Amino acid sequence: MLDSLKEKVVSIIEQKSDVTSCLQGICELLKKDVPYYDWVGFYFRNGEKEELKLGPYAGEPTDHTIIPFGKGICGQVALSNQNFVVPDVNAQDNYIACSITVKAEIVIPLFVNGENIGQIDIDSNTPNPFTKDDERFLEFVTVEVAKIL
Ligand code: SME
């Protein structure tokens, strides 16, 4: 299923003229087509500040539009440059809850010229849903998106 979505991601990037509508289209596609992706969004470094700012997303609005580096799963990925897969958010100390329905989260950093400039963040209402296939697929998405940033 994830592999068949790669083509659709590439086609969104080819068809849309501006970056924001590409990112919005990708968020909506992923949320709609992957049953256990319940919230899909991009965060980007906020200028030179040590914080992330919410970009396009699909799902419920969140209060967490700014996340300081180091805070929550997203803020930790901003510093670690590593994928962060959380099978059970309740087992995490450094976690920012967006909704009580969320059970699991995956965050994949996005690199441009080797620099960690943002990330794709996915929340799931299903416990422990993410596998290596999600990591590989979302890495593909970040690489494709990096080409237009
Ligand atoms: N749960 C994230 C915050 C962002 S929301 O999931 C949209 C975190 O701990 O960083």
Side-chain angles (χ1 to χ4, degrees):
M1 174 190 58
L2 294 174
D3 268 341
S4 66
L5 275 179
K6 287 183 178 177
E7 251 174 70
K8 292 188 187 174
V9 168
V10 170
S11 128
I12 287 174
I13 289 172
E14 280 167 359
Q15 278 164 29
K16 305 254 194 230
S17 52
D18 65 290
V19 171
T20 303
S21 49
C22 272
L23 298 181
Q24 187 68 49
I26 291 170
C27 290
E28 282 163 16
L29 171 76
L30 268 50
K31 180 176 183 297
K32 179 170 70 69
D33 280 17
V34 186
Y36 54 93
Y37 287 9
D38 293 296
W39 188 95
V40 180
F42 288 91
Y43 281 94
F44 291 100
R45 183 170 188 166
N46 193 10
E48 290 302 305
K49 295 185 190 165
E50 300 276 298
E51 65 183 30
L52 295 162
K53 188 176 180 196
L54 182 62
Y57 67 93
E60 291 296 307
T62 171
D63 289 341
H64 305 290
T65 53
I66 297 284
I67 298 178
F69 281 12
K71 299 278 185 213
I73 308 303
C74 297
Q76 291 177 76
V77 170
L79 296 175
S80 72
N81 305 327
Q82 310 269 332
N83 296 350
F84 200 154
V85 182
V86 181
D88 173 9
V89 294
N90 293 316
Q92 293 290 319
D93 291 334
N94 189 357
Y95 169 70
I96 303 167
C98 281
S99 152
I100 50 159
T101 61
V102 175
K103 300 281 194 298
E105 178 161 6
I106 185 169
V107 179
I108 307 291
L110 196 161
F111 300 98
V112 173
N113 299 324
E115 191 189 344
N116 180 354
I117 60 124
Q119 51 193 239
I120 187 164
D121 175 21
I122 296 178
D123 286 341
S124 182
N125 298 338
T126 304
N128 194 13
F130 302 116
T131 68
K132 288 283 169 203
D133 288 347
D134 294 280
E135 287 190 71
R136 298 295 89 79
F137 169 63
L138 295 169
E139 285 165 359
F140 173 86
V141 173
T142 58
V143 167
E144 292 304 307
V145 164
K147 292 177 184 169
I148 55 164
L149 294 176

